[in-house]
Amino acid sequence: DEPSSNGDGRIAKTQRDHFNSFVRAKLSKWKILEHACIEAVSVFGKMSQEQQSLYQHELLMIDEVQDLSPAVLSFILCLTRSDFDCKKILVAGDSLQTVNRSGFEWVNFRNQTFECLHKTVLWLSQQQLDDLSNVVKSDDMTLETLRTPWRNAPKITQFNDLMRKSFGDYYSAKFPDYEVESKPPSDKSRYRDEHAKITFCICPEQEDFEKVIKNLQQIESEIVATSNVAVLTPYEHLEPLLSEFRSFPMYTGESVKGLEFDGIVVAQPYELLSDEAASAVGLGSSGSAKVVETRIKKWFESEASESQKLKDLFVSLYENIRTRMNVVFSRPKFSLLVLLRNKLGHGLIEHENLEDSLRNTQSFDLPNPELLQPTWLEDLDIQILHASDVSESDLINALYLPEEIGD
C-alpha cells in the first residue's frame, strides 16, 4: 500500500511502474482520431468500387467544423461520390466557439486540409483530387455568416457579448470577435426576454461554493418540473463534485457543444487547474513552476524571443478559456446562474486546495463589462447574491420558469 506520491507531487515507484506497463501493453495499441482517419483513407482506397459505394454519400453537412482536424475532414471528403455536386456540401462552424487548445483559423484550416488531401488520398484520379481540393481551396467559395440570434433571450446574448468582448482587457490582449453586426433577434427569442434572468452568486471560499451546490441539489427536482437545466463548467476538474446532481446533467465546455437548455448553472467560469495552466505554457507541472502575475507581465512587456514564445503560448491558453466560455454562456434560452469565487474585474487569482495542492486552480481574468457599458448590471437587470446569506428560495427565483414557458 505504497502512497500515490512522495509528498512532493512525484508519482511513487509502484504507481509509476503500473503506468509504464499500461502504456507499453495497452496504450501503444491505441490510435488518435487523426491517425485512424489517415489509415482509413488508405483502407478505403483499396476497396472495390462496389465496396466503396456502401460508404459514399451524395449530401454532406458538417457542423462544429472548428473542432475538427484537417485529417478528419479529408477522410470525410474522400467518401463523397465521384460525381458529387459541391453545392451539396455544407460546412458550418464558429471560430469563437472552438475548444481546441490550438484555436481555429478558417484560412489555415482550409490550407492544411488541402495539403492533407494531397498527401493521403493518393488513389484518386487527378480530376477527382482537383474537385475535392476545390471544395476547400476554391477562391469563389460562398461564405455566409448567420446574423439572427435564435436560441438565447436577447439579455443572455448581450451578456455573453459583453463578457466575451471585455475578456482580455486586464492584460491588454486583443482577441478577434465577430466581424458582422447581429440582426434583430427572432420573435421567439424576443419573447424569451420576458422570462430571462441573469444572476451572479459570489462564493469566495470552497466551503461557500460547496454550500451553494448542496442547496441547488435540494431544489433541482422542483426546477426541472417546468424546465430543463444543466450545470456547466469550462474544464474537467470540478466533475467529481458536480456529477452528484440527480436531475441537472453536468457538462464541460467541450461536452456541451451542440446542446441547449432553458437554464444553466455555470460553476467557476474562467478557472482551470494551475498545473494544467503551467504545462500549457511550457513551465512544467507538479508545482515546479507557476504562471504568476509577474511572469505574465514580463512576457507582455519584454521583446526577448523567449518571452515572446511564452507569451504566445499563454495567449493561446488565454484565448481557449475565452472561447470555451463563449460556448458555455450561449447555451441557455432563459436563465443563467453564475457561481463565481470573486467579483468581476480581477486579474490572476490562485485558489488553494488545502487537501491536495495538485488540485490548486487559477483564473487569469474575470472580465469587467462595466468598462464597455457602465450601467450593464442595471440594463440587463442582473441580480447579485452572496453565498454567505443565499437561500434556497433565492436559487429557485434565479432558475424557475412558469409552466409552459420552457421547452
Side-chain angles (χ1 to χ4, degrees), residues 9 16 29 32 70 105 115 148 164 183 189 194 199 204 207 212-213 243 314 317 319 322 334 339:
R16 189 164 60 249
K29 300 178 182 178
I32 62 173
E105 204 282 319
E115 294 175 4
T148 303
R164 187 185 64 252
K183 290 183 178 180
S189 63
E194 298 177 20
T199 308
E207 52 264 34
V212 174
I213 292 297
S243 61
F314 173 73
L317 171 67
E319 186 169 14
R322 177 177 180 255
F334 295 97
L339 309 183

Side-chain angles (χ1 to χ4, degrees), residues 172-238:
S172 299
K174 303 299 181 185
F175 294 119
D177 206 64
Y178 298 112
E179 297 178 357
V180 297
E181 291 296 324
S182 296
K183 290 183 178 180
S186 64
D187 291 340
K188 189 172 184 179
S189 63
R190 272 200 301 271
Y191 164 74
R192 287 173 178 161
D193 230 16
E194 298 177 20
H195 301 279
K197 294 177 283 189
I198 303 172
T199 308
F200 283 112
C201 185
I202 310 301
C203 311
E205 304 296 336
Q206 182 65 18
E207 52 264 34
D208 297 323
F209 176 60
E210 293 180 3
K211 169 196 168 186
V212 174
I213 292 297
K214 288 180 180 178
N215 285 344
L216 285 168
Q217 290 169 346
Q218 293 300 313
I219 66 167
E220 58 180 319
S221 58
E222 181 174 348
I223 298 300
V224 298
T226 58
S227 62
N228 65 320
V229 174
V231 179
L232 311 183
T233 191
Y235 295 94
E236 293 80 14
H237 61 280
L238 290 176

Side-chain angles (χ1 to χ4, degrees), residues 61-68 90-99 104-106 109 143-147 178 257 326-327 331:
M61 301 176 69
I62 299 175
D63 196 11
E64 307 288 0
V65 70
Q66 74 276 3
D67 294 320
L68 293 184
L90 173 66
V91 178
D94 184 342
S95 60
L96 298 186
Q97 290 201 1
T98 182
V99 295
F104 180 86
E105 204 282 319
W106 177 234
F109 180 76
L143 187 63
E144 297 286 347
T145 301
L146 301 181
R147 303 185 183 204
Y178 298 112
K257 298 296 291 290
N326 192 36
V327 171
R331 298 304 104 186

Side-chain angles (χ1 to χ4, degrees), residues 259-275:
L259 303 179
E260 59 182 42
F261 307 91
D262 293 327
I264 64 170
V265 178
V266 181
Q268 309 304 11
Y270 307 102
E271 182 176 296
L272 75 165
L273 289 173
S274 299
D275 274 3

